Amino acid sequence: AQSVSQHNHHVILSEAASLELGCNYSYGGTVNLFWYVQYPGQHLQLLLKYFSGDPLVKGIKGFEAEFIKSKFSFNLRKPSVQWSDTAEYFCAGNTGNQFYFGTGTSLTVIP
Amino acid sequence: DVKVTQSSRYLVKRTGEKVFLECVQDMDHENMFWYRQDPGLGLRLIYFSYDVKMKEKGDIPEGYSVSREKKERFSLILESASTNQTSMYLCASRPFGGVDEQFFGPGTRLTVL
């Protein structure tokens, strides 16, 4: 079955620390991959997406993600987090019309 | 910008009531989706629709139905609300096919007493 998994459920970092959130997917064929962010009290919004080409994808607010096909991974990274990055982060995969979401990672950044 | 709106941000209903959650998008998207979001479970797909009057069950359709009479509007119906349906409900839309992401509404936090 197609699925997306996020292994970090809750991450706590100090400001300026580096961030890496894991995401793995299980698909046999072509897949589009996304990272969404949900700030407290706000709706989900897209951080970045990958569908083909350069496996290193840059998104908004200094985030990037790398698609590694051999590892079925699409990890999210940011070199230096800020307090305003406190949010919930969701990885998602898409084939056809269906999307599959991970269970989310709650990130807390301590000033 | 794409805009997806949901009829209510907060809703409180009693067990057994019929509940309607409305979602409207303004970008002529073919696909629309209903999810519920629960802590530790992420987003789970209830139903989606790829065209007017068309619908497909998602992962957790039990206790829910949907209606799509117009392209821009997708309604989620709880025929007889139960306490285990207390949750955050998210609507999303997306163009048909391609590589576009989903666009989400602000969500409706439903409490069933």
mmCIF file with all atom_site columns, all heavy atoms in Angstrom, chain B residues 84-107:
data_model
loop_
_atom_site.group_PDB
_atom_site.id
_atom_site.type_symbol
_atom_site.label_atom_id
_atom_site.label_alt_id
_atom_site.label_comp_id
_atom_site.label_asym_id
_atom_site.label_entity_id
_atom_site.label_seq_id
_atom_site.pdbx_PDB_ins_code
_atom_site.Cartn_x
_atom_site.Cartn_y
_atom_site.Cartn_z
_atom_site.occupancy
_atom_site.B_iso_or_equiv
_atom_site.pdbx_formal_charge
_atom_site.auth_seq_id
_atom_site.auth_comp_id
_atom_site.auth_asym_id
_atom_site.auth_atom_id
_atom_site.pdbx_PDB_model_num
ATOM 1   N N   . ASN B 1 84  ? -17.106 10.587 18.726  1.00 0.00 ? 84  ASN B N   1
ATOM 2   C CA  . ASN B 1 84  ? -15.820 10.238 18.120  1.00 0.00 ? 84  ASN B CA  1
ATOM 3   C C   . ASN B 1 84  ? -15.574 10.956 16.789  1.00 0.00 ? 84  ASN B C   1
ATOM 4   O O   . ASN B 1 84  ? -14.539 10.750 16.148  1.00 0.00 ? 84  ASN B O   1
ATOM 5   C CB  . ASN B 1 84  ? -15.638 8.728  17.969  1.00 0.00 ? 84  ASN B CB  1
ATOM 6   C CG  . ASN B 1 84  ? -16.665 8.105  17.048  1.00 0.00 ? 84  ASN B CG  1
ATOM 7   O OD1 . ASN B 1 84  ? -17.384 8.807  16.337  1.00 0.00 ? 84  ASN B OD1 1
ATOM 8   N ND2 . ASN B 1 84  ? -16.749 6.786  17.043  1.00 0.00 ? 84  ASN B ND2 1
ATOM 9   N N   . GLN B 1 85  ? -16.529 11.778 16.392  1.00 0.00 ? 85  GLN B N   1
ATOM 10  C CA  . GLN B 1 85  ? -16.325 12.621 15.210  1.00 0.00 ? 85  GLN B CA  1
ATOM 11  C C   . GLN B 1 85  ? -15.876 14.034 15.588  1.00 0.00 ? 85  GLN B C   1
ATOM 12  O O   . GLN B 1 85  ? -15.730 14.906 14.719  1.00 0.00 ? 85  GLN B O   1
ATOM 13  C CB  . GLN B 1 85  ? -17.596 12.669 14.359  1.00 0.00 ? 85  GLN B CB  1
ATOM 14  C CG  . GLN B 1 85  ? -17.911 11.312 13.724  1.00 0.00 ? 85  GLN B CG  1
ATOM 15  C CD  . GLN B 1 85  ? -19.165 11.325 12.906  1.00 0.00 ? 85  GLN B CD  1
ATOM 16  O OE1 . GLN B 1 85  ? -20.236 11.759 13.382  1.00 0.00 ? 85  GLN B OE1 1
ATOM 17  N NE2 . GLN B 1 85  ? -19.093 10.817 11.683  1.00 0.00 ? 85  GLN B NE2 1
ATOM 18  N N   . THR B 1 86  ? -15.661 14.257 16.853  1.00 0.00 ? 86  THR B N   1
ATOM 19  C CA  . THR B 1 86  ? -15.049 15.509 17.293  1.00 0.00 ? 86  THR B CA  1
ATOM 20  C C   . THR B 1 86  ? -13.640 15.577 16.725  1.00 0.00 ? 86  THR B C   1
ATOM 21  O O   . THR B 1 86  ? -12.817 14.685 16.962  1.00 0.00 ? 86  THR B O   1
ATOM 22  C CB  . THR B 1 86  ? -15.003 15.573 18.833  1.00 0.00 ? 86  THR B CB  1
ATOM 23  O OG1 . THR B 1 86  ? -16.327 15.689 19.333  1.00 0.00 ? 86  THR B OG1 1
ATOM 24  C CG2 . THR B 1 86  ? -14.165 16.757 19.298  1.00 0.00 ? 86  THR B CG2 1
ATOM 25  N N   . SER B 1 87  ? -13.378 16.614 15.941  1.00 0.00 ? 87  SER B N   1
ATOM 26  C CA  . SER B 1 87  ? -12.107 16.673 15.240  1.00 0.00 ? 87  SER B CA  1
ATOM 27  C C   . SER B 1 87  ? -11.986 18.010 14.511  1.00 0.00 ? 87  SER B C   1
ATOM 28  O O   . SER B 1 87  ? -12.908 18.819 14.489  1.00 0.00 ? 87  SER B O   1
ATOM 29  C CB  . SER B 1 87  ? -12.018 15.534 14.222  1.00 0.00 ? 87  SER B CB  1
ATOM 30  O OG  . SER B 1 87  ? -10.746 15.481 13.601  1.00 0.00 ? 87  SER B OG  1
ATOM 31  N N   . MET B 1 88  ? -10.818 18.201 13.879  1.00 0.00 ? 88  MET B N   1
ATOM 32  C CA  . MET B 1 88  ? -10.628 19.308 12.952  1.00 0.00 ? 88  MET B CA  1
ATOM 33  C C   . MET B 1 88  ? -10.852 18.764 11.546  1.00 0.00 ? 88  MET B C   1
ATOM 34  O O   . MET B 1 88  ? -10.251 17.743 11.175  1.00 0.00 ? 88  MET B O   1
ATOM 35  C CB  . MET B 1 88  ? -9.212  19.868 13.071  1.00 0.00 ? 88  MET B CB  1
ATOM 36  C CG  . MET B 1 88  ? -8.860  20.888 12.009  1.00 0.00 ? 88  MET B CG  1
ATOM 37  S SD  . MET B 1 88  ? -9.750  22.433 12.199  1.00 0.00 ? 88  MET B SD  1
ATOM 38  C CE  . MET B 1 88  ? -8.657  23.279 13.345  1.00 0.00 ? 88  MET B CE  1
ATOM 39  N N   . TYR B 1 89  ? -11.700 19.428 10.787  1.00 0.00 ? 89  TYR B N   1
ATOM 40  C CA  . TYR B 1 89  ? -12.005 18.993 9.428   1.00 0.00 ? 89  TYR B CA  1
ATOM 41  C C   . TYR B 1 89  ? -11.414 19.989 8.440   1.00 0.00 ? 89  TYR B C   1
ATOM 42  O O   . TYR B 1 89  ? -11.662 21.196 8.518   1.00 0.00 ? 89  TYR B O   1
ATOM 43  C CB  . TYR B 1 89  ? -13.515 18.862 9.233   1.00 0.00 ? 89  TYR B CB  1
ATOM 44  C CG  . TYR B 1 89  ? -14.067 17.691 9.992   1.00 0.00 ? 89  TYR B CG  1
ATOM 45  C CD1 . TYR B 1 89  ? -14.474 17.832 11.324  1.00 0.00 ? 89  TYR B CD1 1
ATOM 46  C CD2 . TYR B 1 89  ? -14.149 16.429 9.409   1.00 0.00 ? 89  TYR B CD2 1
ATOM 47  C CE1 . TYR B 1 89  ? -14.951 16.751 12.044  1.00 0.00 ? 89  TYR B CE1 1
ATOM 48  C CE2 . TYR B 1 89  ? -14.624 15.343 10.119  1.00 0.00 ? 89  TYR B CE2 1
ATOM 49  C CZ  . TYR B 1 89  ? -15.019 15.512 11.439  1.00 0.00 ? 89  TYR B CZ  1
ATOM 50  O OH  . TYR B 1 89  ? -15.490 14.426 12.146  1.00 0.00 ? 89  TYR B OH  1
ATOM 51  N N   . LEU B 1 90  ? -10.643 19.455 7.504   1.00 0.00 ? 90  LEU B N   1
ATOM 52  C CA  . LEU B 1 90  ? -9.963  20.280 6.516   1.00 0.00 ? 90  LEU B CA  1
ATOM 53  C C   . LEU B 1 90  ? -10.468 19.960 5.123   1.00 0.00 ? 90  LEU B C   1
ATOM 54  O O   . LEU B 1 90  ? -10.591 18.796 4.748   1.00 0.00 ? 90  LEU B O   1
ATOM 55  C CB  . LEU B 1 90  ? -8.451  20.044 6.553   1.00 0.00 ? 90  LEU B CB  1
ATOM 56  C CG  . LEU B 1 90  ? -7.736  20.309 7.874   1.00 0.00 ? 90  LEU B CG  1
ATOM 57  C CD1 . LEU B 1 90  ? -6.250  20.001 7.725   1.00 0.00 ? 90  LEU B CD1 1
ATOM 58  C CD2 . LEU B 1 90  ? -7.925  21.747 8.306   1.00 0.00 ? 90  LEU B CD2 1
ATOM 59  N N   . CYS B 1 91  ? -10.727 20.996 4.374   1.00 0.00 ? 91  CYS B N   1
ATOM 60  C CA  . CYS B 1 91  ? -11.094 20.865 2.971   1.00 0.00 ? 91  CYS B CA  1
ATOM 61  C C   . CYS B 1 91  ? -9.913  21.306 2.125   1.00 0.00 ? 91  CYS B C   1
ATOM 62  O O   . CYS B 1 91  ? -9.156  22.213 2.506   1.00 0.00 ? 91  CYS B O   1
ATOM 63  C CB  . CYS B 1 91  ? -12.307 21.735 2.682   1.00 0.00 ? 91  CYS B CB  1
ATOM 64  S SG  . CYS B 1 91  ? -12.811 21.755 0.944   1.00 0.00 ? 91  CYS B SG  1
ATOM 65  N N   . ALA B 1 92  ? -9.734  20.672 0.976   1.00 0.00 ? 92  ALA B N   1
ATOM 66  C CA  . ALA B 1 92  ? -8.664  21.048 0.060   1.00 0.00 ? 92  ALA B CA  1
ATOM 67  C C   . ALA B 1 92  ? -9.156  20.932 -1.371  1.00 0.00 ? 92  ALA B C   1
ATOM 68  O O   . ALA B 1 92  ? -10.103 20.193 -1.666  1.00 0.00 ? 92  ALA B O   1
ATOM 69  C CB  . ALA B 1 92  ? -7.431  20.172 0.274   1.00 0.00 ? 92  ALA B CB  1
ATOM 70  N N   . SER B 1 93  ? -8.510  21.673 -2.252  1.00 0.00 ? 93  SER B N   1
ATOM 71  C CA  . SER B 1 93  ? -8.819  21.553 -3.680  1.00 0.00 ? 93  SER B CA  1
ATOM 72  C C   . SER B 1 93  ? -7.523  21.516 -4.475  1.00 0.00 ? 93  SER B C   1
ATOM 73  O O   . SER B 1 93  ? -6.457  21.913 -3.987  1.00 0.00 ? 93  SER B O   1
ATOM 74  C CB  . SER B 1 93  ? -9.707  22.703 -4.154  1.00 0.00 ? 93  SER B CB  1
ATOM 75  O OG  . SER B 1 93  ? -8.979  23.913 -4.260  1.00 0.00 ? 93  SER B OG  1
ATOM 76  N N   . ARG B 1 94  ? -7.649  21.060 -5.722  1.00 0.00 ? 94  ARG B N   1
ATOM 77  C CA  . ARG B 1 94  ? -6.468  20.890 -6.568  1.00 0.00 ? 94  ARG B CA  1
ATOM 78  C C   . ARG B 1 94  ? -6.936  20.751 -8.012  1.00 0.00 ? 94  ARG B C   1
ATOM 79  O O   . ARG B 1 94  ? -7.968  20.142 -8.278  1.00 0.00 ? 94  ARG B O   1
ATOM 80  C CB  . ARG B 1 94  ? -5.736  19.625 -6.140  1.00 0.00 ? 94  ARG B CB  1
ATOM 81  C CG  . ARG B 1 94  ? -4.507  19.263 -6.941  1.00 0.00 ? 94  ARG B CG  1
ATOM 82  C CD  . ARG B 1 94  ? -3.904  17.993 -6.386  1.00 0.00 ? 94  ARG B CD  1
ATOM 83  N NE  . ARG B 1 94  ? -2.644  17.682 -7.039  1.00 0.00 ? 94  ARG B NE  1
ATOM 84  C CZ  . ARG B 1 94  ? -2.501  16.708 -7.915  1.00 0.00 ? 94  ARG B CZ  1
ATOM 85  N NH1 . ARG B 1 94  ? -3.527  15.949 -8.251  1.00 0.00 ? 94  ARG B NH1 1
ATOM 86  N NH2 . ARG B 1 94  ? -1.319  16.472 -8.451  1.00 0.00 ? 94  ARG B NH2 1
ATOM 87  N N   . PRO B 1 95  ? -6.152  21.261 -8.958  1.00 0.00 ? 95  PRO B N   1
ATOM 88  C CA  . PRO B 1 95  ? -6.500  21.012 -10.360 1.00 0.00 ? 95  PRO B CA  1
ATOM 89  C C   . PRO B 1 95  ? -6.374  19.532 -10.687 1.00 0.00 ? 95  PRO B C   1
ATOM 90  O O   . PRO B 1 95  ? -5.637  18.804 -10.020 1.00 0.00 ? 95  PRO B O   1
ATOM 91  C CB  . PRO B 1 95  ? -5.453  21.818 -11.142 1.00 0.00 ? 95  PRO B CB  1
ATOM 92  C CG  . PRO B 1 95  ? -4.847  22.749 -10.175 1.00 0.00 ? 95  PRO B CG  1
ATOM 93  C CD  . PRO B 1 95  ? -4.956  22.108 -8.828  1.00 0.00 ? 95  PRO B CD  1
ATOM 94  N N   . PHE B 1 96  ? -7.049  19.107 -11.715 1.00 0.00 ? 96  PHE B N   1
ATOM 95  C CA  . PHE B 1 96  ? -6.985  17.707 -12.110 1.00 0.00 ? 96  PHE B CA  1
ATOM 96  C C   . PHE B 1 96  ? -5.606  17.362 -12.669 1.00 0.00 ? 96  PHE B C   1
ATOM 97  O O   . PHE B 1 96  ? -5.083  18.057 -13.514 1.00 0.00 ? 96  PHE B O   1
ATOM 98  C CB  . PHE B 1 96  ? -8.044  17.409 -13.166 1.00 0.00 ? 96  PHE B CB  1
ATOM 99  C CG  . PHE B 1 96  ? -8.033  15.990 -13.633 1.00 0.00 ? 96  PHE B CG  1
ATOM 100 C CD1 . PHE B 1 96  ? -8.595  14.997 -12.866 1.00 0.00 ? 96  PHE B CD1 1
ATOM 101 C CD2 . PHE B 1 96  ? -7.438  15.656 -14.837 1.00 0.00 ? 96  PHE B CD2 1
ATOM 102 C CE1 . PHE B 1 96  ? -8.574  13.678 -13.276 1.00 0.00 ? 96  PHE B CE1 1
ATOM 103 C CE2 . PHE B 1 96  ? -7.419  14.341 -15.267 1.00 0.00 ? 96  PHE B CE2 1
ATOM 104 C CZ  . PHE B 1 96  ? -7.984  13.343 -14.487 1.00 0.00 ? 96  PHE B CZ  1
ATOM 105 N N   . GLY B 1 97  ? -5.031  16.258 -12.184 1.00 0.00 ? 97  GLY B N   1
ATOM 106 C CA  . GLY B 1 97  ? -3.765  15.769 -12.708 1.00 0.00 ? 97  GLY B CA  1
ATOM 107 C C   . GLY B 1 97  ? -2.616  16.727 -12.471 1.00 0.00 ? 97  GLY B C   1
ATOM 108 O O   . GLY B 1 97  ? -2.673  17.577 -11.585 1.00 0.00 ? 97  GLY B O   1
ATOM 109 N N   . GLY B 1 98  ? -1.555  16.608 -13.213 1.00 0.00 ? 98  GLY B N   1
ATOM 110 C CA  . GLY B 1 98  ? -0.427  17.517 -13.095 1.00 0.00 ? 98  GLY B CA  1
ATOM 111 C C   . GLY B 1 98  ? 0.353   17.308 -11.815 1.00 0.00 ? 98  GLY B C   1
ATOM 112 O O   . GLY B 1 98  ? 0.278   16.260 -11.178 1.00 0.00 ? 98  GLY B O   1
ATOM 113 N N   . VAL B 1 99  ? 1.102   18.310 -11.436 1.00 0.00 ? 99  VAL B N   1
ATOM 114 C CA  . VAL B 1 99  ? 1.977   18.196 -10.282 1.00 0.00 ? 99  VAL B CA  1
ATOM 115 C C   . VAL B 1 99  ? 1.634   19.231 -9.223  1.00 0.00 ? 99  VAL B C   1
ATOM 116 O O   . VAL B 1 99  ? 2.420   19.500 -8.329  1.00 0.00 ? 99  VAL B O   1
ATOM 117 C CB  . VAL B 1 99  ? 3.442   18.328 -10.714 1.00 0.00 ? 99  VAL B CB  1
ATOM 118 C CG1 . VAL B 1 99  ? 3.829   17.194 -11.652 1.00 0.00 ? 99  VAL B CG1 1
ATOM 119 C CG2 . VAL B 1 99  ? 3.686   19.688 -11.380 1.00 0.00 ? 99  VAL B CG2 1
ATOM 120 N N   . ASP B 1 100 ? 0.456   19.798 -9.341  1.00 0.00 ? 100 ASP B N   1
ATOM 121 C CA  . ASP B 1 100 ? 0.100   20.849 -8.397  1.00 0.00 ? 100 ASP B CA  1
ATOM 122 C C   . ASP B 1 100 ? -0.183  20.292 -7.016  1.00 0.00 ? 100 ASP B C   1
ATOM 123 O O   . ASP B 1 100 ? -0.649  19.169 -6.849  1.00 0.00 ? 100 ASP B O   1
ATOM 124 C CB  . ASP B 1 100 ? -1.138  21.602 -8.885  1.00 0.00 ? 100 ASP B CB  1
ATOM 125 C CG  . ASP B 1 100 ? -0.850  22.389 -10.136 1.00 0.00 ? 100 ASP B CG  1
ATOM 126 O OD1 . ASP B 1 100 ? -0.250  23.467 -10.018 1.00 0.00 ? 100 ASP B OD1 1
ATOM 127 O OD2 . ASP B 1 100 ? -1.207  21.901 -11.217 1.00 0.00 ? 100 ASP B OD2 1
ATOM 128 N N   . GLU B 1 101 ? 0.066   21.150 -6.034  1.00 0.00 ? 101 GLU B N   1
ATOM 129 C CA  . GLU B 1 101 ? -0.223  20.782 -4.663  1.00 0.00 ? 101 GLU B CA  1
ATOM 130 C C   . GLU B 1 101 ? -1.701  20.972 -4.367  1.00 0.00 ? 101 GLU B C   1
ATOM 131 O O   . GLU B 1 101 ? -2.452  21.527 -5.166  1.00 0.00 ? 101 GLU B O   1
ATOM 132 C CB  . GLU B 1 101 ? 0.608   21.645 -3.699  1.00 0.00 ? 101 GLU B CB  1
ATOM 133 C CG  . GLU B 1 101 ? 0.241   23.141 -3.697  1.00 0.00 ? 101 GLU B CG  1
ATOM 134 C CD  . GLU B 1 101 ? 0.994   23.915 -4.751  1.00 0.00 ? 101 GLU B CD  1
ATOM 135 O OE1 . GLU B 1 101 ? 1.448   23.319 -5.747  1.00 0.00 ? 101 GLU B OE1 1
ATOM 136 O OE2 . GLU B 1 101 ? 1.103   25.145 -4.566  1.00 0.00 ? 101 GLU B OE2 1
ATOM 137 N N   . GLN B 1 102 ? -2.114  20.537 -3.201  1.00 0.00 ? 102 GLN B N   1
ATOM 138 C CA  . GLN B 1 102 ? -3.445  20.825 -2.705  1.00 0.00 ? 102 GLN B CA  1
ATOM 139 C C   . GLN B 1 102 ? -3.437  22.182 -2.006  1.00 0.00 ? 102 GLN B C   1
ATOM 140 O O   . GLN B 1 102 ? -2.446  22.576 -1.385  1.00 0.00 ? 102 GLN B O   1
ATOM 141 C CB  . GLN B 1 102 ? -3.891  19.764 -1.696  1.00 0.00 ? 102 GLN B CB  1
ATOM 142 C CG  . GLN B 1 102 ? -4.142  18.413 -2.313  1.00 0.00 ? 102 GLN B CG  1
ATOM 143 C CD  . GLN B 1 102 ? -4.490  17.380 -1.263  1.00 0.00 ? 102 GLN B CD  1
ATOM 144 O OE1 . GLN B 1 102 ? -3.840  17.285 -0.236  1.00 0.00 ? 102 GLN B OE1 1
ATOM 145 N NE2 . GLN B 1 102 ? -5.521  16.591 -1.528  1.00 0.00 ? 102 GLN B NE2 1
ATOM 146 N N   . PHE B 1 103 ? -4.563  22.855 -2.094  1.00 0.00 ? 103 PHE B N   1
ATOM 147 C CA  . PHE B 1 103 ? -4.744  24.134 -1.402  1.00 0.00 ? 103 PHE B CA  1
ATOM 148 C C   . PHE B 1 103 ? -5.791  23.921 -0.320  1.00 0.00 ? 103 PHE B C   1
ATOM 149 O O   . PHE B 1 103 ? -6.888  23.428 -0.600  1.00 0.00 ? 103 PHE B O   1
ATOM 150 C CB  . PHE B 1 103 ? -5.189  25.211 -2.392  1.00 0.00 ? 103 PHE B CB  1
ATOM 151 C CG  . PHE B 1 103 ? -4.160  25.506 -3.441  1.00 0.00 ? 103 PHE B CG  1
ATOM 152 C CD1 . PHE B 1 103 ? -4.098  24.750 -4.601  1.00 0.00 ? 103 PHE B CD1 1
ATOM 153 C CD2 . PHE B 1 103 ? -3.240  26.522 -3.266  1.00 0.00 ? 103 PHE B CD2 1
ATOM 154 C CE1 . PHE B 1 103 ? -3.143  24.999 -5.574  1.00 0.00 ? 103 PHE B CE1 1
ATOM 155 C CE2 . PHE B 1 103 ? -2.286  26.796 -4.236  1.00 0.00 ? 103 PHE B CE2 1
ATOM 156 C CZ  . PHE B 1 103 ? -2.227  26.027 -5.382  1.00 0.00 ? 103 PHE B CZ  1
ATOM 157 N N   . PHE B 1 104 ? -5.443  24.316 0.893   1.00 0.00 ? 104 PHE B N   1
ATOM 158 C CA  . PHE B 1 104 ? -6.283  24.001 2.034   1.00 0.00 ? 104 PHE B CA  1
ATOM 159 C C   . PHE B 1 104 ? -7.088  25.189 2.526   1.00 0.00 ? 104 PHE B C   1
ATOM 160 O O   . PHE B 1 104 ? -6.628  26.346 2.466   1.00 0.00 ? 104 PHE B O   1
ATOM 161 C CB  . PHE B 1 104 ? -5.423  23.479 3.188   1.00 0.00 ? 104 PHE B CB  1
ATOM 162 C CG  . PHE B 1 104 ? -4.973  22.063 2.997   1.00 0.00 ? 104 PHE B CG  1
ATOM 163 C CD1 . PHE B 1 104 ? -3.825  21.776 2.278   1.00 0.00 ? 104 PHE B CD1 1
ATOM 164 C CD2 . PHE B 1 104 ? -5.712  21.018 3.505   1.00 0.00 ? 104 PHE B CD2 1
ATOM 165 C CE1 . PHE B 1 104 ? -3.420  20.460 2.090   1.00 0.00 ? 104 PHE B CE1 1
ATOM 166 C CE2 . PHE B 1 104 ? -5.316  19.702 3.324   1.00 0.00 ? 104 PHE B CE2 1
ATOM 167 C CZ  . PHE B 1 104 ? -4.174  19.421 2.610   1.00 0.00 ? 104 PHE B CZ  1
ATOM 168 N N   . GLY B 1 105 ? -8.262  24.873 3.057   1.00 0.00 ? 105 GLY B N   1
ATOM 169 C CA  . GLY B 1 105 ? -9.033  25.860 3.779   1.00 0.00 ? 105 GLY B CA  1
ATOM 170 C C   . GLY B 1 105 ? -8.549  25.983 5.211   1.00 0.00 ? 105 GLY B C   1
ATOM 171 O O   . GLY B 1 105 ? -7.664  25.244 5.634   1.00 0.00 ? 105 GLY B O   1
ATOM 172 N N   . PRO B 1 106 ? -9.132  26.894 5.978   1.00 0.00 ? 106 PRO B N   1
ATOM 173 C CA  . PRO B 1 106 ? -8.681  27.149 7.347   1.00 0.00 ? 106 PRO B CA  1
ATOM 174 C C   . PRO B 1 106 ? -9.091  26.076 8.346   1.00 0.00 ? 106 PRO B C   1
ATOM 175 O O   . PRO B 1 106 ? -8.562  26.035 9.453   1.00 0.00 ? 106 PRO B O   1
ATOM 176 C CB  . PRO B 1 106 ? -9.338  28.480 7.701   1.00 0.00 ? 106 PRO B CB  1
ATOM 177 C CG  . PRO B 1 106 ? -10.556 28.528 6.841   1.00 0.00 ? 106 PRO B CG  1
ATOM 178 C CD  . PRO B 1 106 ? -10.204 27.828 5.565   1.00 0.00 ? 106 PRO B CD  1
ATOM 179 N N   . GLY B 1 107 ? -10.016 25.211 7.960   1.00 0.00 ? 107 GLY B N   1
ATOM 180 C CA  . GLY B 1 107 ? -10.446 24.150 8.860   1.00 0.00 ? 107 GLY B CA  1
ATOM 181 C C   . GLY B 1 107 ? -11.681 24.515 9.663   1.00 0.00 ? 107 GLY B C   1
ATOM 182 O O   . GLY B 1 107 ? -11.958 25.691 9.925   1.00 0.00 ? 107 GLY B O   1
#
